[in-house]
């Protein structure tokens, strides 16, 4: 019975051993292939995102033009509204003047008619027979020629006075009628101008409403495009995270294939290089100013201190040159930068050395390194010294490039 239990236990241990081995059974190349597929999908999504962002910029530019046209139309509408208000004021003044002229005309006509009636009465008394003294009797009954002449002059004066007064009233009526007609013509012109302004204002309001509808449509298109861009950006972030994870797995698989420990060193050995240049307190990075992304890159890079330098190499564990070191570190985080030290001088954005932050690339003549803070760099220096810590100003700096 005990033998059977021992056999079962031995089988369980063997099974667990096999299961534990399957964790590292996936070759690093498989992770590399999967990473390449994810990067391919990421590139496709990035292209889609770039096209959407270009479309958003184009839509925003066109919308700005439409909004400019709306602003111009609204300015014209405002001017027309002011013109209409001024015309309405002028029309009100003109209508008041016409009212006064009508009153004056009515008074002039009344006076003319009154004077005409009075003149007719006097003429009837002087020239017609009946009831009183006639014109002829007035003249015949005079006692002398002087008296006759006096009476004749008196009658002539009455006639002349009536004629002049009647003529004055008639002239006044004509003048007032002409004034009224002129005022009515001017009012008609003002009303016509007002109608034209209101018609033009209506046309501009219709055009403005149409443009506002177009602008609103642009806003809807831009909003939809931004939502789509947000989705693509989220997908790209997921793919970046997946690329980082796959790179970790690939490196772990490489170490497992070589039987190395978690620091990329052989199980029975240790770093090839030792000394102060091959260690760095992480607090130097964590306490420096800069982005967390840059600090994460620097913290990851110092894990490989003491590992070998290899011309043309890109392996952080088996050997890498200076630009292979920087590009491989960045690749771990899903960033693709140029492979050569010369090309890396143009990567990212240039910053002054005084503003350098962990994760920035320090470029020298024929050499590159990663800044870690406190005036220090980590770099694959040479075959004699491997990956080490140095003072950033140990050589003349050409440029500092910020990738994140």
């Amino acid at each position: 019975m005990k033998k059977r239990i021992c056999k079962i236990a031995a089988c369980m241990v063997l099974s667990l051993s096999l299961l534990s081995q399957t964790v590292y059974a996936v070759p690093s190349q498989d992770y590399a292939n999967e990473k390449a597929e994810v990067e391919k999908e990421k590139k496709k999504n990035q292209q889609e995102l770039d096209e959407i962002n270009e479309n958003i910029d184009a839509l925003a530019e066109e919308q700005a033009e439409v909004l400019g046209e709306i602003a111009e139309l609204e300015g014209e509408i405002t001017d027309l509204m002011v013109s209409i208000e001024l015309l309405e004021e002028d029309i009100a003044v003109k209508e008041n003047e016409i009212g006064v002229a009508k009153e004056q005309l009515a008074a002039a006509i009344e006076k003319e008619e009154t004077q005409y009636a009075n003149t007719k009465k006097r003429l009837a008394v002087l020239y017609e027979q009946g009831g009183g003294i006639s014109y002829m009797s007035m003249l015949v009954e005079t006692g002398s020629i002087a008296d006759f002449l006096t009476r004749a002059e008196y009658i002539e004066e009455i006639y002349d006075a009536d004629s002049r007064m009647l003529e004055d009233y008639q002239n006044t009526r004509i003048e007032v009628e002409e004034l009224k007609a002129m005022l009515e013509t001017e009012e008609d012109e003002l009303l016509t101008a007002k109608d034209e302004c209101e018609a033009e204002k209506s046309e501009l309001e219709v055009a403005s409403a149409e443009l506002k509808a177009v602008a609103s449509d642009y806003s809807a298109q831009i909003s939809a495009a931004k939502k789509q861009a947000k989705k693509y950006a989220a997908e790209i972030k997921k793919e970046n995270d997946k690329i980082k994870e796959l790179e970790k797995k690939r490196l772990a698989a490489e170490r497992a294939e070589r039987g190395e420990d978690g620091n990329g060193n052989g199980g029975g050995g240790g770093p090839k290089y030792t000394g102060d240049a091959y260690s760095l307190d992480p607090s130097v990075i964590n306490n420096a100013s800069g982005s967390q992304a840059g600090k994460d890159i620097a913290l990851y890079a110092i894990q490989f201190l003491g590992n070998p330098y290899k011309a043309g190499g890109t392996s952080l564990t088996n050997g890498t040159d200076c630009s292979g070191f920087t590009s491989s570190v960045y690749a771990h985080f899903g960033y693709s930068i140029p492979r050569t030290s010369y090309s890396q001088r143009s990567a990212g954005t240039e910053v002054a050395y005084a503003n350098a932050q962990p994760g920035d690339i320090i470029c020298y003549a024929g050499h590159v390194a990663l800044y870690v803070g406190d005036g220090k760099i980590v770099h694959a220096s040479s075959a004699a010294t491997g990956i080490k810590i140095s003072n950033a100003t140990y050589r003349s700096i050409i440029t500092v490039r910020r990738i994140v």
Side-chain angles (χ1 to χ4, degrees):
M1 182 71 177
K2 289 182 179 178
K3 288 182 179 179
R4 187 177 178 184
I5 291 172
C6 289
K7 286 181 180 179
I8 293 171
C11 289
M12 289 177 68
V13 170
L14 181 60
S15 298
L16 289 172
S17 176
L18 290 171
L19 286 171
S20 64
Q21 288 177 9
T22 58
V23 173
Y24 301 101
V26 179
S28 61
Q29 186 58 43
D30 290 349
Y31 288 122
N33 292 339
E34 188 176 352
K35 177 187 170 187
E37 288 297 320
V38 176
E39 285 180 338
K40 183 179 179 182
E41 189 63 28
K42 173 193 166 185
K43 183 177 180 182
K44 179 182 175 184
N45 286 333
Q46 187 64 54
Q47 287 174 344
E48 292 287 345
L49 179 60
D50 291 343
E51 287 179 8
I52 290 170
N53 284 331
E54 286 178 7
N55 188 38
I56 289 172
D57 291 341
L59 288 170
E61 191 174 326
E62 291 174 13
Q63 185 187 42
E65 290 179 4
V66 172
L67 291 174
E69 291 179 29
I70 291 172
E72 289 180 10
L73 287 176
E74 289 182 343
E76 291 181 30
I77 290 170
T78 301
D79 290 343
L80 285 169
M81 289 174 68
V82 171
S83 297
I84 290 170
E85 287 180 7
L86 293 174
L87 286 168
E88 286 175 345
E89 291 176 4
D90 290 344
I91 290 168
V93 171
K94 200 63 63 179
E95 286 177 345
N96 184 60
E97 291 176 351
I98 290 171
V100 172
K102 285 180 178 178
E103 290 175 1
Q104 291 175 347
L105 179 60
I109 291 172
E110 184 179 356
K111 286 183 179 180
E112 179 191 354
E113 290 175 347
T114 301
Q115 182 60 30
Y116 179 65
N118 291 337
T119 300
K120 283 202 302 182
K121 285 179 181 179
R122 278 193 285 273
L123 288 174
V125 170
L126 293 172
Y127 294 107
E128 295 179 3
Q129 295 290 336
I133 189 168
S134 68
Y135 174 71
M136 290 302 298
S137 62
M138 182 186 292
L139 294 176
V140 170
E141 291 176 1
T142 55
S144 65
I145 293 175
D147 189 23
F148 174 81
L149 292 174
T150 299
R151 289 194 178 194
E153 288 175 1
Y154 172 71
I155 293 169
E156 188 67 27
E157 286 174 2
I158 291 174
Y159 177 77
D160 289 342
D162 282 342
S163 296
R164 285 193 302 273
M165 189 175 292
L166 182 59
E167 186 177 354
D168 287 342
Y169 288 143
Q170 286 175 339
N171 289 336
T172 300
R173 177 177 61 78
I174 291 169
E175 288 175 3
V176 174
E177 281 181 345
E178 289 176 350
L179 174 62
K180 175 175 170 289
M182 183 187 71
L183 292 173
E184 287 174 345
T185 298
E186 291 176 356
E187 182 190 30
D188 184 62
E189 291 174 357
L190 290 172
L191 289 169
T192 300
K194 180 188 172 186
D195 289 342
E196 289 177 356
C197 285
E198 288 179 340
E200 188 174 352
K201 174 175 168 283
S202 297
E203 290 176 3
L204 291 176
E205 285 173 341
V206 170
S208 177
E210 290 174 352
L211 287 175
K212 285 178 180 177
V214 172
S216 177
D217 183 56
Y218 276 119
S219 295
Q221 290 184 56
I222 291 170
S223 177
K226 283 182 177 178
K227 286 181 181 178
Q228 195 174 7
K230 191 174 181 181
K231 290 180 181 178
Y232 276 110
E235 286 298 319
I236 291 170
K237 184 180 182 302
K238 288 180 183 178
E239 286 153 359
N240 276 334
D241 293 341
K242 191 171 183 180
I243 289 168
K244 292 176 187 177
E245 187 62 29
L246 287 169
E247 182 63 14
K248 286 181 182 178
K249 289 180 178 180
R250 183 187 69 80
L251 292 173
E254 282 184 357
R255 287 193 295 268
E257 289 167 3
R258 291 189 298 270
E260 296 176 346
D261 62 20
N263 290 321
N265 304 312
K272 181 179 177 182
Y273 308 95
T274 58
D276 292 341
Y278 301 98
S279 65
L280 182 76
D281 187 342
S283 65
V284 171
I285 297 171
N286 290 324
N287 294 334
S289 61
S291 68
Q292 189 57 50
K295 292 178 182 180
D296 289 343
I297 288 168
L299 289 168
Y300 177 73
I302 65 172
Q303 294 181 52
F304 305 100
L305 286 169
N307 284 345
Y309 174 96
K310 182 179 180 181
T314 58
S315 173
L316 298 173
T317 54
N318 283 348
T320 179
D321 60 17
C322 64
S323 57
F325 175 70
T326 52
S327 60
S328 294
V329 168
Y330 267 99
H332 174 74
F333 292 88
Y335 296 96
S336 177
I337 63 173
R339 171 63 182 84
T340 66
S341 59
Y342 177 80
S343 298
Q344 287 180 18
R345 291 184 196 175
S346 302
T349 305
E350 184 175 33
V351 295
Y353 170 66
N355 299 323
Q357 298 175 358
D360 290 347
I361 297 176
I362 309 293
C363 300
Y364 308 90
H367 189 63
V368 288
L370 282 173
Y371 188 73
V372 293
D374 195 27
K376 299 187 181 301
I377 56 170
V378 58
H379 60 135
S381 58
S382 68
T385 55
I387 299 174
K388 61 180 286 192
I389 296 293
S390 298
N391 289 323
T393 55
Y394 85 110
R395 290 171 57 184
S396 299
I397 295 173
I398 294 176
T399 181
V400 180
R401 313 302 299 187
R402 181 159 298 158
I403 308 301
V404 297

